[in-house]
Amino acid sequence: MSFAPAPAEPITPDPVRVVPDTLLTQSWLDLSFLHWAADPAAVAPLLPAGTVPDTHDGLTYIGLVAFRMHRVGWFRMPGIPYLGTFPETNVRLYSVDRHGRRGVVFRSLEASRLLPVAIARSAFRLPYKWARMAIQRDADTISYASRRRWPGPRGAHCRIAVRVGERIEEPTALEHFLTARWGMHNAFFGRPLYLPNVHPRWPLHRAELLHCEDELVAAAGLPSPAGPPVSVLYSPGVPVRFGRPAHPGGLPTL
């Protein structure tokens, strides 16, 4: 039996669905969002089955997002202070499935703690990479550095520095599209998975890109961006809660 795709859910700064059960808790802190526009046809082959590129005014986007993961915890237990706290940098794409659920697709996720990397790779089939990483803050300037350890390409690196600007009182439609994503699409043993999340509305700031030297986008199988990013944003962060996959067997179908 075939199904017609549902219309894409609205883009809203607040969660679009209730997530009654909690699988994971964490906080995302000191985030810098860099985005480049991309042709949807160029990234479509890199998305999981059952999803297509999500677009805004005919374009989709490649995201390079650097931040500090803080106190990852299971269910509603307290977050882990050391193993659950580490720098992270991800390369992501934007997706929508036949149910109209918008989400992100991670092409790579660098993290500086080996045990969380191993758990995420084995339990969730997420493309986490172990890397040597650092985040430094100096007044209104924040810098991120990452160099991959395992798996390869070993030595793939990223260095970003931004100057944080004023608070954005009314984000644009594109800024909501790039940041207000209420789920993640992935493949789990060949079957599609959608993992919902909820968090407070993003506090967003303008940001000036001072430096960007990146090999992670190309290492993720994407074309190296031509020119500067079309959007540079900063957020001090939000607490996040991930719910269980919606399907009773633990793996939702798309």
Side-chain angles (χ1 to χ4, degrees):
M1 181 182 297
S2 62
F3 295 87
E9 62 193 6
I11 298 168
T12 65
D14 300 301
V16 295
R17 65 183 62 83
V18 175
V19 177
D21 298 319
T22 298
L23 178 64
L24 288 167
T25 60
Q26 54 200 244
S27 291
W28 302 332
L29 306 178
D30 286 325
L31 302 96
S32 288
F33 301 87
L34 279 59
H35 284 95
W36 292 264
D39 180 353
V43 305
L46 302 176
L47 299 181
T51 67
V52 297
D54 198 5
T55 61
H56 180 79
D57 290 340
L59 294 172
T60 192
Y61 289 84
I62 297 169
L64 181 65
V65 183
F67 64 102
R68 189 189 315 277
M69 181 75 81
H70 183 67
R71 296 182 73 99
V72 176
W74 288 95
F75 309 110
R76 293 188 179 273
M77 294 185 292
I80 304 170
Y82 176 76
L83 288 176
T85 299
F86 47 84
E88 182 172 320
T89 300
N90 63 60
V91 176
R92 70 192 203 180
L93 301 174
Y94 295 86
S95 52
V96 61
D97 63 29
R98 70 177 181 86
H99 298 293
R101 298 175 299 194
R102 300 180 188 267
V104 299
V105 172
F106 293 109
R107 292 294 298 169
S108 68
L109 304 101
E110 317 291 306
S112 64
R113 297 275 187 263
L114 179 56
L115 183 59
V117 166
I119 292 172
R121 289 178 65 88
S122 60
F124 294 100
R125 293 299 188 263
L126 287 170
Y128 265 92
K129 320 290 183 180
W130 183 35
R132 180 180 293 108
M133 308 181 76
I135 300 176
Q136 294 183 325
R137 183 77 184 251
D138 182 9
D140 61 351
T141 299
I142 186 165
S143 59
Y144 313 81
S146 177
R147 182 171 294 273
R148 188 173 297 175
R149 289 172 159 172
W150 173 89
R154 186 178 175 86
H157 68 275
C158 178
R159 298 183 66 87
I160 298 168
V162 304
R163 180 177 291 120
V164 180
E166 72 278 3
R167 173 77 178 264
I168 303 172
E169 298 302 330
E170 294 292 338
T172 66
L174 176 60
E175 288 163 349
H176 283 315
F177 176 89
L178 296 174
T179 59
R181 314 300 295 189
W182 306 111
M184 175 189 71
H185 290 109
N186 194 26
F188 191 84
F189 291 104
R191 297 184 63 188
L193 179 147
Y194 183 78
L195 197 66
N197 71 75
V198 292
H199 58 71
R201 184 176 296 205
W202 282 109
L204 294 174
H205 291 248
R206 302 282 175 217
E208 177 189 1
L209 183 61
L210 303 177
H211 179 77
C212 181
E213 177 185 340
D214 175 67
E215 296 179 340
L216 301 183
V217 171
L222 294 159
S224 296
V230 298
S231 174
V232 181
L233 299 170
Y234 169 83
S235 177
V238 291
V240 185
R241 185 167 57 87
F242 280 91
R244 299 172 185 269
H247 191 264
L251 293 174
T253 57
L254 293 174

